[in-house]
Amino acid sequence: MQPLNPSTITLLVLAPLLAWRIYARFRRMVRRQQLSRVRPWITLIILPTIVLLLACPAYAHFERLLWLAGGLMVGSLLGVYGLRHTRFESTPQGLFYTPHTYLGIALSLLFFARVLYRLVQLSLDTSASHAAPEFAQSSLTLAIFGLLAGYYIAYALGLVRWRNSVVLAKTTRAPGAPDA
């Protein structure tokens, strides 16, 4: 029996992790969620940082940078669309929202499918021509990541804006006025 190469081992280790993340993402997309004060800010810090880290090596290849930027723009538009179809609730128990189920699931599936495709592609290619940093150098991968990042950045901005407007409305309400 031939020993497994490192790429195949990596794929075998990452596949269950990827499946678990897909399951966890779907569970979050289909139910009402309490708005955290911190989670949108984490998204607004981490995703733009990752976008910048991916844009740096893509800078030498202008077409890759355009694919990333195009994905970010379309993703931002989808984020605005998703926010318009999100149900927001301000209750005595806290702030809640129910995201647009199908849009979030579709974008997540698209990204996970692309990552899985690239992992399989790299594990099947036994030539030494592919280095690990090359994983994110595909224009299509960058476009799909930009799409997902743009969506989540726009969505997180919308959540922060909504939370701030609700908090502002509560603080400017007259003392003794009943909560709505």
Side-chain angles (χ1 to χ4, degrees):
M1 183 173 163
Q2 195 175 18
L4 297 174
N5 66 14
S7 297
T8 304
I9 293 171
T10 303
L11 178 63
L12 291 174
V13 170
L14 289 179
L17 177 66
L18 191 62
W20 171 72
R21 288 308 307 152
I22 290 171
Y23 173 73
R25 172 73 51 198
F26 286 169
R27 281 191 48 214
R28 287 199 59 214
M29 288 293 179
V30 297
R31 64 182 170 97
R32 178 180 179 226
Q33 300 176 44
Q34 185 164 12
L35 179 60
S36 165
R37 288 183 184 185
V38 177
R39 182 174 236 146
W41 287 106
I42 292 172
T43 300
L44 290 173
I45 292 169
I46 291 178
L47 280 179
T49 303
I50 294 172
V51 168
L52 287 175
L53 290 173
L54 288 174
C56 287
Y59 186 73
H61 305 278
F62 189 68
E63 72 282 352
R64 292 179 188 166
L65 204 53
L66 286 176
W67 280 98
L68 180 63
L72 284 167
M73 287 190 313
V74 172
S76 298
L77 293 173
L78 288 174
V80 171
Y81 175 81
L83 283 166
R84 288 186 180 158
H85 290 85
T86 297
R87 190 175 64 218
F88 295 101
E89 303 172 57
S90 177
T91 67
Q93 293 81 25
L95 301 176
F96 294 88
Y97 66 100
T98 306
H100 188 275
T101 304
Y102 302 116
L103 182 58
I105 287 174
L107 289 173
S108 296
L109 264 181
L110 180 66
F111 180 70
F112 289 129
R114 182 60 183 172
V115 169
L116 189 60
Y117 171 78
R118 289 290 286 158
L119 285 173
V120 169
Q121 184 183 30
L122 291 175
S123 70
L124 294 178
D125 187 4
T126 57
S127 69
S129 65
H130 290 292
E134 234 180 283
F135 178 78
Q137 296 305 314
S138 162
S139 298
L140 185 57
T141 301
L142 289 172
I144 291 173
F145 178 77
L147 186 73
L148 195 68
Y151 172 79
Y152 282 114
I153 291 168
Y155 201 86
L157 280 171
L159 291 176
V160 168
R161 288 185 62 197
W162 176 67
R163 183 184 183 287
N164 289 342
S165 69
V166 170
V167 169
L168 182 64
K170 284 183 179 180
T171 58
T172 58
R173 198 175 300 137
D179 286 340

mmCIF file of all heavy atoms in Angstrom, residues 4-50:
data_model
loop_
_atom_site.group_PDB
_atom_site.id
_atom_site.type_symbol
_atom_site.label_atom_id
_atom_site.label_comp_id
_atom_site.label_asym_id
_atom_site.label_seq_id
_atom_site.Cartn_x
_atom_site.Cartn_y
_atom_site.Cartn_z
ATOM 1 N N LEU A 4 0.109 7.849 2.157
ATOM 2 C CA LEU A 4 -0.612 9.060 1.762
ATOM 3 C C LEU A 4 0.338 10.241 1.708
ATOM 4 O O LEU A 4 1.215 10.372 2.562
ATOM 5 C CB LEU A 4 -1.736 9.351 2.750
ATOM 6 C CG LEU A 4 -2.849 8.314 2.859
ATOM 7 C CD1 LEU A 4 -3.807 8.681 3.979
ATOM 8 C CD2 LEU A 4 -3.595 8.198 1.546
ATOM 9 N N ASN A 5 0.154 11.093 0.705
ATOM 10 C CA ASN A 5 0.993 12.284 0.638
ATOM 11 C C ASN A 5 0.441 13.350 1.599
ATOM 12 O O ASN A 5 -0.714 13.275 2.025
ATOM 13 C CB ASN A 5 1.123 12.803 -0.796
ATOM 14 C CG ASN A 5 -0.187 13.315 -1.357
ATOM 15 O OD1 ASN A 5 -1.151 13.544 -0.645
ATOM 16 N ND2 ASN A 5 -0.213 13.503 -2.657
ATOM 17 N N PRO A 6 1.238 14.339 1.980
ATOM 18 C CA PRO A 6 0.791 15.348 2.950
ATOM 19 C C PRO A 6 -0.466 16.116 2.524
ATOM 20 O O PRO A 6 -1.296 16.464 3.357
ATOM 21 C CB PRO A 6 2.000 16.295 3.054
ATOM 22 C CG PRO A 6 3.168 15.465 2.654
ATOM 23 C CD PRO A 6 2.650 14.499 1.632
ATOM 24 N N SER A 7 -0.623 16.351 1.233
ATOM 25 C CA SER A 7 -1.815 17.068 0.767
ATOM 26 C C SER A 7 -3.085 16.261 1.017
ATOM 27 O O SER A 7 -4.112 16.805 1.405
ATOM 28 C CB SER A 7 -1.700 17.389 -0.719
ATOM 29 O OG SER A 7 -0.628 18.250 -0.959
ATOM 30 N N THR A 8 -3.019 14.968 0.797
ATOM 31 C CA THR A 8 -4.173 14.103 1.030
ATOM 32 C C THR A 8 -4.495 14.043 2.520
ATOM 33 O O THR A 8 -5.662 14.076 2.917
ATOM 34 C CB THR A 8 -3.910 12.692 0.480
ATOM 35 O OG1 THR A 8 -3.568 12.799 -0.899
ATOM 36 C CG2 THR A 8 -5.130 11.804 0.639
ATOM 37 N N ILE A 9 -3.471 13.963 3.345
ATOM 38 C CA ILE A 9 -3.678 13.950 4.793
ATOM 39 C C ILE A 9 -4.326 15.259 5.243
ATOM 40 O O ILE A 9 -5.266 15.261 6.038
ATOM 41 C CB ILE A 9 -2.338 13.709 5.533
ATOM 42 C CG1 ILE A 9 -1.835 12.286 5.229
ATOM 43 C CG2 ILE A 9 -2.500 13.915 7.036
ATOM 44 C CD1 ILE A 9 -0.436 12.009 5.714
ATOM 45 N N THR A 10 -3.839 16.370 4.702
ATOM 46 C CA THR A 10 -4.429 17.670 5.028
ATOM 47 C C THR A 10 -5.900 17.709 4.636
ATOM 48 O O THR A 10 -6.745 18.175 5.401
ATOM 49 C CB THR A 10 -3.662 18.806 4.308
ATOM 50 O OG1 THR A 10 -2.288 18.748 4.689
ATOM 51 C CG2 THR A 10 -4.231 20.158 4.661
ATOM 52 N N LEU A 11 -6.218 17.215 3.463
ATOM 53 C CA LEU A 11 -7.608 17.173 3.000
ATOM 54 C C LEU A 11 -8.463 16.317 3.919
ATOM 55 O O LEU A 11 -9.575 16.696 4.281
ATOM 56 C CB LEU A 11 -7.676 16.652 1.566
ATOM 57 C CG LEU A 11 -9.079 16.501 0.974
ATOM 58 C CD1 LEU A 11 -9.762 17.853 0.897
ATOM 59 C CD2 LEU A 11 -9.011 15.864 -0.390
ATOM 60 N N LEU A 12 -7.948 15.169 4.318
ATOM 61 C CA LEU A 12 -8.701 14.275 5.204
ATOM 62 C C LEU A 12 -8.930 14.894 6.579
ATOM 63 O O LEU A 12 -9.952 14.651 7.210
ATOM 64 C CB LEU A 12 -7.980 12.928 5.337
ATOM 65 C CG LEU A 12 -7.968 12.053 4.086
ATOM 66 C CD1 LEU A 12 -7.091 10.823 4.303
ATOM 67 C CD2 LEU A 12 -9.383 11.663 3.691
ATOM 68 N N VAL A 13 -7.992 15.701 7.044
ATOM 69 C CA VAL A 13 -8.144 16.375 8.335
ATOM 70 C C VAL A 13 -9.106 17.555 8.216
ATOM 71 O O VAL A 13 -9.957 17.772 9.089
ATOM 72 C CB VAL A 13 -6.775 16.847 8.877
ATOM 73 C CG1 VAL A 13 -6.931 17.758 10.069
ATOM 74 C CG2 VAL A 13 -5.921 15.644 9.234
ATOM 75 N N LEU A 14 -9.009 18.312 7.129
ATOM 76 C CA LEU A 14 -9.834 19.506 6.976
ATOM 77 C C LEU A 14 -11.279 19.221 6.558
ATOM 78 O O LEU A 14 -12.167 20.013 6.848
ATOM 79 C CB LEU A 14 -9.190 20.463 5.978
ATOM 80 C CG LEU A 14 -7.930 21.173 6.454
ATOM 81 C CD1 LEU A 14 -7.387 22.078 5.357
ATOM 82 C CD2 LEU A 14 -8.189 21.976 7.708
ATOM 83 N N ALA A 15 -11.531 18.113 5.890
ATOM 84 C CA ALA A 15 -12.888 17.804 5.414
ATOM 85 C C ALA A 15 -13.901 17.717 6.559
ATOM 86 O O ALA A 15 -14.967 18.341 6.479
ATOM 87 C CB ALA A 15 -12.883 16.535 4.578
ATOM 88 N N PRO A 16 -13.624 16.990 7.654
ATOM 89 C CA PRO A 16 -14.596 16.970 8.752
ATOM 90 C C PRO A 16 -14.768 18.348 9.407
ATOM 91 O O PRO A 16 -15.877 18.724 9.792
ATOM 92 C CB PRO A 16 -14.023 15.969 9.753
ATOM 93 C CG PRO A 16 -13.037 15.165 8.995
ATOM 94 C CD PRO A 16 -12.543 16.043 7.884
ATOM 95 N N LEU A 17 -13.674 19.100 9.512
ATOM 96 C CA LEU A 17 -13.764 20.452 10.067
ATOM 97 C C LEU A 17 -14.640 21.329 9.182
ATOM 98 O O LEU A 17 -15.495 22.080 9.672
ATOM 99 C CB LEU A 17 -12.361 21.055 10.198
ATOM 100 C CG LEU A 17 -12.283 22.492 10.706
ATOM 101 C CD1 LEU A 17 -12.756 22.567 12.149
ATOM 102 C CD2 LEU A 17 -10.873 23.019 10.593
ATOM 103 N N LEU A 18 -14.465 21.222 7.890
ATOM 104 C CA LEU A 18 -15.271 21.973 6.939
ATOM 105 C C LEU A 18 -16.745 21.575 7.046
ATOM 106 O O LEU A 18 -17.633 22.437 7.073
ATOM 107 C CB LEU A 18 -14.745 21.746 5.529
ATOM 108 C CG LEU A 18 -15.274 22.636 4.428
ATOM 109 C CD1 LEU A 18 -14.926 24.090 4.691
ATOM 110 C CD2 LEU A 18 -14.696 22.202 3.094
ATOM 111 N N ALA A 19 -17.011 20.274 7.143
ATOM 112 C CA ALA A 19 -18.402 19.806 7.281
ATOM 113 C C ALA A 19 -19.030 20.327 8.570
ATOM 114 O O ALA A 19 -20.190 20.765 8.572
ATOM 115 C CB ALA A 19 -18.434 18.284 7.249
ATOM 116 N N TRP A 20 -18.272 20.329 9.648
ATOM 117 C CA TRP A 20 -18.788 20.842 10.928
ATOM 118 C C TRP A 20 -19.099 22.332 10.829
ATOM 119 O O TRP A 20 -20.126 22.801 11.318
ATOM 120 C CB TRP A 20 -17.779 20.563 12.038
ATOM 121 C CG TRP A 20 -18.144 21.240 13.322
ATOM 122 C CD1 TRP A 20 -19.167 20.908 14.171
ATOM 123 C CD2 TRP A 20 -17.504 22.375 13.894
ATOM 124 N NE1 TRP A 20 -19.190 21.787 15.224
ATOM 125 C CE2 TRP A 20 -18.177 22.688 15.076
ATOM 126 C CE3 TRP A 20 -16.420 23.159 13.515
ATOM 127 C CZ2 TRP A 20 -17.803 23.750 15.896
ATOM 128 C CZ3 TRP A 20 -16.058 24.210 14.323
ATOM 129 C CH2 TRP A 20 -16.744 24.501 15.498
ATOM 130 N N ARG A 21 -18.224 23.110 10.182
ATOM 131 C CA ARG A 21 -18.454 24.547 10.048
ATOM 132 C C ARG A 21 -19.675 24.835 9.166
ATOM 133 O O ARG A 21 -20.415 25.772 9.426
ATOM 134 C CB ARG A 21 -17.222 25.255 9.473
ATOM 135 C CG ARG A 21 -16.064 25.364 10.427
ATOM 136 C CD ARG A 21 -16.423 25.962 11.780
ATOM 137 N NE ARG A 21 -17.105 27.223 11.648
ATOM 138 C CZ ARG A 21 -17.974 27.707 12.526
ATOM 139 N NH1 ARG A 21 -18.293 27.049 13.590
ATOM 140 N NH2 ARG A 21 -18.551 28.875 12.330
ATOM 141 N N ILE A 22 -19.873 24.034 8.126
ATOM 142 C CA ILE A 22 -21.063 24.197 7.287
ATOM 143 C C ILE A 22 -22.310 23.961 8.126
ATOM 144 O O ILE A 22 -23.265 24.737 8.076
ATOM 145 C CB ILE A 22 -21.012 23.246 6.072
ATOM 146 C CG1 ILE A 22 -19.927 23.689 5.102
ATOM 147 C CG2 ILE A 22 -22.367 23.186 5.369
ATOM 148 C CD1 ILE A 22 -19.660 22.690 3.991
ATOM 149 N N TYR A 23 -22.315 22.890 8.905
ATOM 150 C CA TYR A 23 -23.459 22.578 9.761
ATOM 151 C C TYR A 23 -23.715 23.711 10.765
ATOM 152 O O TYR A 23 -24.851 24.153 10.941
ATOM 153 C CB TYR A 23 -23.212 21.255 10.489
ATOM 154 C CG TYR A 23 -24.252 20.939 11.524
ATOM 155 C CD1 TYR A 23 -25.530 20.532 11.148
ATOM 156 C CD2 TYR A 23 -23.969 21.056 12.879
ATOM 157 C CE1 TYR A 23 -26.491 20.246 12.090
ATOM 158 C CE2 TYR A 23 -24.916 20.781 13.830
ATOM 159 C CZ TYR A 23 -26.186 20.373 13.437
ATOM 160 O OH TYR A 23 -27.128 20.117 14.384
ATOM 161 N N ALA A 24 -22.665 24.183 11.419
ATOM 162 C CA ALA A 24 -22.818 25.262 12.405
ATOM 163 C C ALA A 24 -23.325 26.546 11.740
ATOM 164 O O ALA A 24 -24.182 27.251 12.293
ATOM 165 C CB ALA A 24 -21.487 25.522 13.115
ATOM 166 N N ARG A 25 -22.823 26.846 10.558
ATOM 167 C CA ARG A 25 -23.251 28.050 9.832
ATOM 168 C C ARG A 25 -24.729 27.949 9.462
ATOM 169 O O ARG A 25 -25.488 28.900 9.613
ATOM 170 C CB ARG A 25 -22.386 28.223 8.583
ATOM 171 C CG ARG A 25 -22.811 29.293 7.641
ATOM 172 C CD ARG A 25 -22.546 30.685 8.112
ATOM 173 N NE ARG A 25 -21.187 30.875 8.555
ATOM 174 C CZ ARG A 25 -20.824 31.900 9.316
ATOM 175 N NH1 ARG A 25 -21.689 32.811 9.668
ATOM 176 N NH2 ARG A 25 -19.587 32.036 9.706
ATOM 177 N N PHE A 26 -25.159 26.792 8.990
ATOM 178 C CA PHE A 26 -26.566 26.610 8.618
ATOM 179 C C PHE A 26 -27.480 26.756 9.827
ATOM 180 O O PHE A 26 -28.545 27.346 9.738
ATOM 181 C CB PHE A 26 -26.785 25.255 7.958
ATOM 182 C CG PHE A 26 -26.261 25.166 6.564
ATOM 183 C CD1 PHE A 26 -26.172 23.953 5.927
ATOM 184 C CD2 PHE A 26 -25.836 26.289 5.877
ATOM 185 C CE1 PHE A 26 -25.682 23.854 4.639
ATOM 186 C CE2 PHE A 26 -25.337 26.205 4.596
ATOM 187 C CZ PHE A 26 -25.265 24.993 3.977
ATOM 188 N N ARG A 27 -27.066 26.210 10.949
ATOM 189 C CA ARG A 27 -27.895 26.336 12.164
ATOM 190 C C ARG A 27 -28.077 27.794 12.545
ATOM 191 O O ARG A 27 -29.157 28.194 12.979
ATOM 192 C CB ARG A 27 -27.249 25.564 13.319
ATOM 193 C CG ARG A 27 -27.513 24.084 13.235
ATOM 194 C CD ARG A 27 -27.130 23.337 14.481
ATOM 195 N NE ARG A 27 -27.632 23.977 15.672
ATOM 196 C CZ ARG A 27 -26.987 23.975 16.828
ATOM 197 N NH1 ARG A 27 -25.839 23.384 16.948
ATOM 198 N NH2 ARG A 27 -27.499 24.566 17.879
ATOM 199 N N ARG A 28 -27.038 28.595 12.403
ATOM 200 C CA ARG A 28 -27.142 30.008 12.752
ATOM 201 C C ARG A 28 -27.983 30.780 11.743
ATOM 202 O O ARG A 28 -28.593 31.787 12.072
ATOM 203 C CB ARG A 28 -25.753 30.646 12.821
ATOM 204 C CG ARG A 28 -24.997 30.211 14.052
ATOM 205 C CD ARG A 28 -23.875 31.127 14.370
ATOM 206 N NE ARG A 28 -24.393 32.462 14.590
ATOM 207 C CZ ARG A 28 -23.745 33.554 14.263
ATOM 208 N NH1 ARG A 28 -22.586 33.493 13.699
ATOM 209 N NH2 ARG A 28 -24.262 34.734 14.492
ATOM 210 N N MET A 29 -27.990 30.344 10.490
ATOM 211 C CA MET A 29 -28.691 31.077 9.440
ATOM 212 C C MET A 29 -30.200 30.898 9.468
ATOM 213 O O MET A 29 -30.912 31.679 8.863
ATOM 214 C CB MET A 29 -28.183 30.650 8.061
ATOM 215 C CG MET A 29 -26.821 31.150 7.752
ATOM 216 S SD MET A 29 -26.885 32.930 7.601
ATOM 217 C CE MET A 29 -25.209 33.291 7.275
ATOM 218 N N VAL A 30 -30.690 29.873 10.110
ATOM 219 C CA VAL A 30 -32.117 29.575 10.025
ATOM 220 C C VAL A 30 -32.889 29.900 11.298
ATOM 221 O O VAL A 30 -34.062 29.598 11.388
ATOM 222 C CB VAL A 30 -32.352 28.091 9.638
ATOM 223 C CG1 VAL A 30 -31.783 27.803 8.274
ATOM 224 C CG2 VAL A 30 -31.778 27.156 10.686
ATOM 225 N N ARG A 31 -32.248 30.523 12.257
ATOM 226 C CA ARG A 31 -32.982 30.799 13.489
ATOM 227 C C ARG A 31 -32.743 32.229 13.973
ATOM 228 O O ARG A 31 -31.827 32.909 13.536
ATOM 229 C CB ARG A 31 -32.608 29.799 14.572
ATOM 230 C CG ARG A 31 -31.162 29.876 15.010
ATOM 231 C CD ARG A 31 -30.865 28.812 16.053
ATOM 232 N NE ARG A 31 -29.451 28.737 16.304
ATOM 233 C CZ ARG A 31 -28.851 29.348 17.313
ATOM 234 N NH1 ARG A 31 -29.532 30.064 18.166
ATOM 235 N NH2 ARG A 31 -27.544 29.246 17.468
ATOM 236 N N ARG A 32 -33.592 32.615 14.869
ATOM 237 C CA ARG A 32 -33.513 33.935 15.498
ATOM 238 C C ARG A 32 -32.250 33.981 16.360
ATOM 239 O O ARG A 32 -31.943 33.044 17.074
ATOM 240 C CB ARG A 32 -34.761 34.109 16.357
ATOM 241 C CG ARG A 32 -34.835 35.380 17.118
ATOM 242 C CD ARG A 32 -36.141 35.365 17.906
ATOM 243 N NE ARG A 32 -36.301 36.544 18.692
ATOM 244 C CZ ARG A 32 -36.681 36.545 19.961
ATOM 245 N NH1 ARG A 32 -36.948 35.414 20.574
ATOM 246 N NH2 ARG A 32 -36.814 37.668 20.602
ATOM 247 N N GLN A 33 -31.534 35.101 16.286
ATOM 248 C CA GLN A 33 -30.289 35.241 17.032
ATOM 249 C C GLN A 33 -30.323 36.499 17.886
ATOM 250 O O GLN A 33 -30.858 37.519 17.471
ATOM 251 C CB GLN A 33 -29.114 35.363 16.069
ATOM 252 C CG GLN A 33 -28.937 34.189 15.162
ATOM 253 C CD GLN A 33 -27.820 34.428 14.183
ATOM 254 O OE1 GLN A 33 -26.762 34.909 14.548
ATOM 255 N NE2 GLN A 33 -28.063 34.092 12.932
ATOM 256 N N GLN A 34 -29.727 36.402 19.043
ATOM 257 C CA GLN A 34 -29.592 37.592 19.872
ATOM 258 C C GLN A 34 -28.373 38.364 19.379
ATOM 259 O O GLN A 34 -27.321 37.784 19.107
ATOM 260 C CB GLN A 34 -29.427 37.239 21.336
ATOM 261 C CG GLN A 34 -29.415 38.471 22.217
ATOM 262 C CD GLN A 34 -29.632 38.155 23.675
ATOM 263 O OE1 GLN A 34 -29.572 37.002 24.084
ATOM 264 N NE2 GLN A 34 -29.892 39.166 24.457
ATOM 265 N N LEU A 35 -28.554 39.674 19.250
ATOM 266 C CA LEU A 35 -27.464 40.512 18.752
ATOM 267 C C LEU A 35 -26.440 40.719 19.858
ATOM 268 O O LEU A 35 -26.751 41.214 20.934
ATOM 269 C CB LEU A 35 -28.016 41.862 18.272
ATOM 270 C CG LEU A 35 -26.990 42.842 17.741
ATOM 271 C CD1 LEU A 35 -26.246 42.260 16.554
ATOM 272 C CD2 LEU A 35 -27.666 44.141 17.345
ATOM 273 N N SER A 36 -25.239 40.327 19.573
ATOM 274 C CA SER A 36 -24.128 40.501 20.498
ATOM 275 C C SER A 36 -23.519 41.883 20.293
ATOM 276 O O SER A 36 -23.499 42.404 19.181
ATOM 277 C CB SER A 36 -23.078 39.424 20.224
ATOM 278 O OG SER A 36 -21.861 39.728 20.833
ATOM 279 N N ARG A 37 -23.014 42.453 21.355
ATOM 280 C CA ARG A 37 -22.325 43.743 21.221
ATOM 281 C C ARG A 37 -20.979 43.572 20.544
ATOM 282 O O ARG A 37 -20.505 44.480 19.864
ATOM 283 C CB ARG A 37 -22.084 44.362 22.600
ATOM 284 C CG ARG A 37 -23.301 44.876 23.263
ATOM 285 C CD ARG A 37 -22.929 45.530 24.564
ATOM 286 N NE ARG A 37 -24.143 45.954 25.249
ATOM 287 C CZ ARG A 37 -24.160 46.625 26.354
ATOM 288 N NH1 ARG A 37 -23.016 46.954 26.936
ATOM 289 N NH2 ARG A 37 -25.284 46.980 26.912
ATOM 290 N N VAL A 38 -20.363 42.413 20.715
ATOM 291 C CA VAL A 38 -18.987 42.197 20.276
ATOM 292 C C VAL A 38 -18.887 41.536 18.903
ATOM 293 O O VAL A 38 -18.027 41.901 18.102
ATOM 294 C CB VAL A 38 -18.240 41.344 21.333
ATOM 295 C CG1 VAL A 38 -16.835 41.020 20.895
ATOM 296 C CG2 VAL A 38 -18.242 42.047 22.667
ATOM 297 N N ARG A 39 -19.758 40.577 18.617
ATOM 298 C CA ARG A 39 -19.611 39.769 17.395
ATOM 299 C C ARG A 39 -19.537 40.587 16.102
ATOM 300 O O ARG A 39 -18.666 40.332 15.260
ATOM 301 C CB ARG A 39 -20.726 38.739 17.318
ATOM 302 C CG ARG A 39 -20.579 37.863 16.107
ATOM 303 C CD ARG A 39 -21.593 36.757 16.106
ATOM 304 N NE ARG A 39 -20.831 35.531 15.999
ATOM 305 C CZ ARG A 39 -21.129 34.398 16.552
ATOM 306 N NH1 ARG A 39 -22.200 34.305 17.277
ATOM 307 N NH2 ARG A 39 -20.376 33.348 16.376
ATOM 308 N N PRO A 40 -20.414 41.585 15.878
ATOM 309 C CA PRO A 40 -20.273 42.365 14.637
ATOM 310 C C PRO A 40 -18.926 43.096 14.557
ATOM 311 O O PRO A 40 -18.349 43.218 13.479
ATOM 312 C CB PRO A 40 -21.431 43.360 14.678
ATOM 313 C CG PRO A 40 -22.416 42.775 15.625
ATOM 314 C CD PRO A 40 -21.625 41.977 16.609
ATOM 315 N N TRP A 41 -18.428 43.548 15.700
ATOM 316 C CA TRP A 41 -17.147 44.253 15.694
ATOM 317 C C TRP A 41 -15.997 43.303 15.382
ATOM 318 O O TRP A 41 -15.033 43.694 14.720
ATOM 319 C CB TRP A 41 -16.924 44.972 17.025
ATOM 320 C CG TRP A 41 -17.809 46.159 17.139
ATOM 321 C CD1 TRP A 41 -18.916 46.295 17.918
ATOM 322 C CD2 TRP A 41 -17.692 47.386 16.419
ATOM 323 N NE1 TRP A 41 -19.487 47.524 17.718
ATOM 324 C CE2 TRP A 41 -18.759 48.217 16.813
ATOM 325 C CE3 TRP A 41 -16.796 47.860 15.467
ATOM 326 C CZ2 TRP A 41 -18.941 49.491 16.290
ATOM 327 C CZ3 TRP A 41 -16.978 49.137 14.952
ATOM 328 C CH2 TRP A 41 -18.035 49.929 15.369
ATOM 329 N N ILE A 42 -16.093 42.073 15.844
ATOM 330 C CA ILE A 42 -15.067 41.076 15.496
ATOM 331 C C ILE A 42 -15.064 40.873 13.989
ATOM 332 O O ILE A 42 -14.004 40.838 13.353
ATOM 333 C CB ILE A 42 -15.316 39.753 16.253
ATOM 334 C CG1 ILE A 42 -15.066 39.951 17.750
ATOM 335 C CG2 ILE A 42 -14.449 38.630 15.702
ATOM 336 C CD1 ILE A 42 -15.466 38.783 18.614
ATOM 337 N N THR A 43 -16.263 40.750 13.402
ATOM 338 C CA THR A 43 -16.372 40.608 11.950
ATOM 339 C C THR A 43 -15.768 41.812 11.247
ATOM 340 O O THR A 43 -15.055 41.672 10.250
ATOM 341 C CB THR A 43 -17.854 40.451 11.545
ATOM 342 O OG1 THR A 43 -18.382 39.279 12.179
ATOM 343 C CG2 THR A 43 -18.013 40.333 10.043
ATOM 344 N N LEU A 44 -16.044 43.013 11.775
ATOM 345 C CA LEU A 44 -15.562 44.247 11.137
ATOM 346 C C LEU A 44 -14.057 44.447 11.298
ATOM 347 O O LEU A 44 -13.470 45.271 10.595
ATOM 348 C CB LEU A 44 -16.319 45.453 11.694
ATOM 349 C CG LEU A 44 -17.783 45.533 11.283
ATOM 350 C CD1 LEU A 44 -18.496 46.657 12.018
ATOM 351 C CD2 LEU A 44 -17.895 45.710 9.781
ATOM 352 N N ILE A 45 -13.445 43.697 12.172
ATOM 353 C CA ILE A 45 -11.987 43.774 12.325
ATOM 354 C C ILE A 45 -11.297 42.645 11.554
ATOM 355 O O ILE A 45 -10.353 42.876 10.801
ATOM 356 C CB ILE A 45 -11.588 43.740 13.822
ATOM 357 C CG1 ILE A 45 -12.060 45.027 14.505
ATOM 358 C CG2 ILE A 45 -10.093 43.540 13.992
ATOM 359 C CD1 ILE A 45 -11.977 45.001 16.011
ATOM 360 N N ILE A 46 -11.794 41.423 11.724
ATOM 361 C CA ILE A 46 -11.110 40.264 11.154
ATOM 362 C C ILE A 46 -11.255 40.182 9.632
ATOM 363 O O ILE A 46 -10.264 39.981 8.923
ATOM 364 C CB ILE A 46 -11.589 38.966 11.835
ATOM 365 C CG1 ILE A 46 -11.075 38.950 13.267
ATOM 366 C CG2 ILE A 46 -11.107 37.738 11.085
ATOM 367 C CD1 ILE A 46 -11.507 37.770 14.083
ATOM 368 N N LEU A 47 -12.473 40.314 9.114
ATOM 369 C CA LEU A 47 -12.655 40.148 7.660
ATOM 370 C C LEU A 47 -11.901 41.195 6.835
ATOM 371 O O LEU A 47 -11.235 40.829 5.867
ATOM 372 C CB LEU A 47 -14.132 40.115 7.300
ATOM 373 C CG LEU A 47 -14.810 38.764 7.542
ATOM 374 C CD1 LEU A 47 -16.285 38.819 7.175
ATOM 375 C CD2 LEU A 47 -14.133 37.667 6.761
ATOM 376 N N PRO A 48 -11.966 42.483 7.176
ATOM 377 C CA PRO A 48 -11.151 43.430 6.393
ATOM 378 C C PRO A 48 -9.644 43.144 6.491
ATOM 379 O O PRO A 48 -8.918 43.334 5.521
ATOM 380 C CB PRO A 48 -11.495 44.794 6.993
ATOM 381 C CG PRO A 48 -12.857 44.617 7.555
ATOM 382 C CD PRO A 48 -12.878 43.200 8.070
ATOM 383 N N THR A 49 -9.212 42.650 7.656
ATOM 384 C CA THR A 49 -7.798 42.293 7.803
ATOM 385 C C THR A 49 -7.434 41.144 6.864
ATOM 386 O O THR A 49 -6.406 41.180 6.188
ATOM 387 C CB THR A 49 -7.492 41.895 9.265
ATOM 388 O OG1 THR A 49 -7.845 42.980 10.122
ATOM 389 C CG2 THR A 49 -6.029 41.542 9.446
ATOM 390 N N ILE A 50 -8.292 40.120 6.798
ATOM 391 C CA ILE A 50 -8.037 38.999 5.890
ATOM 392 C C ILE A 50 -8.064 39.466 4.436
ATOM 393 O O ILE A 50 -7.244 39.045 3.624
ATOM 394 C CB ILE A 50 -9.049 37.859 6.133
ATOM 395 C CG1 ILE A 50 -8.832 37.250 7.517
ATOM 396 C CG2 ILE A 50 -8.914 36.779 5.066
ATOM 397 C CD1 ILE A 50 -9.894 36.258 7.930
#
